[in-house]
Amino acid sequence: MSDVPVGNRTELGDFLRSRRGRVAPQEAGLPPSAGRRRTAGLRREEVAILAGVSIEYYRRLEQGKQRRPSPAVLEAIGQVLKLTDDERRHLAELSRGRPPSPVTGARTGRASRAVREEVRRMLEIAHPYPACVLSRSSDLLTANQGALRLFPGIEDWPEPERNTARYAFVHPRARELYADWDDVARGVVAHLRAAVVVHRGAPDIREVVDELSARSTAFASLWQRHDVRARTNGRKVYHHPDAGRLTLTYEAYDVARSEGQRLIVYQAPPGTPDHEALLRLSA
């Protein structure tokens, strides 16, 4: 996975090139140019001029030779490239090149799979709503009955191999389970792309990305898009073999004093067919 190491010129440059390639000159307020453009989206010099920096400065930034640009420069580039909030945070992380944080531990080490007992009890408190804890690399660390049954067939895998990203791209039931598999797949990849920057050098994330890049052409293609998206909440529609069709919303919470663990709770409004289907999962 040649472009996974972050803080180097490859990751930052690839991200900037991918974003400027998606902004049409007209969207940036530039007049239509005569003749055929060789560059998809904005040219490097156009981004520089619109952001108010020198062409040489921006060129060095894409090459990873310009260290720690100011917040004002990042904000200007973000506006020109029409970055989302998640993409702006991602750009700031890529540009920062910060050392390991004492809060999250050694970023180059493997994250602990241990889940605090207090967090495990919260999964039972959430019953009958499906709830689970995922690692920073999307390993399914623990789940209540409803959440485990939400991924049909995942129990067939040994516990260390249960990973929701792996499930989405490799498990034969995944494409039938998710009504909008394409959106789920994009979200999974965008989350992992952001995670490799937040948890710099984390071998557990790198191994998942390497594996899925080798096993799934769909994953490999999406990985090259450099999309980033925080998965804090959302909505998914399922065609579940036991519960039938159901629409669930989910909320994801960062687990305190953990190495990137997330507590995820799924729900549906009481009294609705979706809620009744959810109860069948937890029965």
Side-chain angles (χ1 to χ4, degrees), residues 161-189:
E161 296 180 14
R162 296 175 186 175
N163 178 288
T164 57
R166 181 180 291 116
Y167 183 90
F169 283 94
V170 175
H171 201 285
R173 295 193 184 183
R175 288 181 182 260
E176 297 178 2
L177 175 67
Y178 298 114
D180 191 348
W181 181 87
D182 289 337
D183 183 67
V184 170
R186 288 192 296 269
V188 167
V189 176

Side-chain angles (χ1 to χ4, degrees), residues 65-77:
K65 296 178 180 178
Q66 185 63 47
R67 300 298 181 186
R68 301 196 180 187
S70 70
V73 168
L74 294 180
E75 177 62 23
I77 292 173

Side-chain angles (χ1 to χ4, degrees), residues 207-217 219-220:
E207 287 165 6
V208 170
V209 174
D210 281 344
E211 174 197 342
L212 295 182
S213 294
R215 297 181 66 180
S216 170
T217 56
F219 182 94

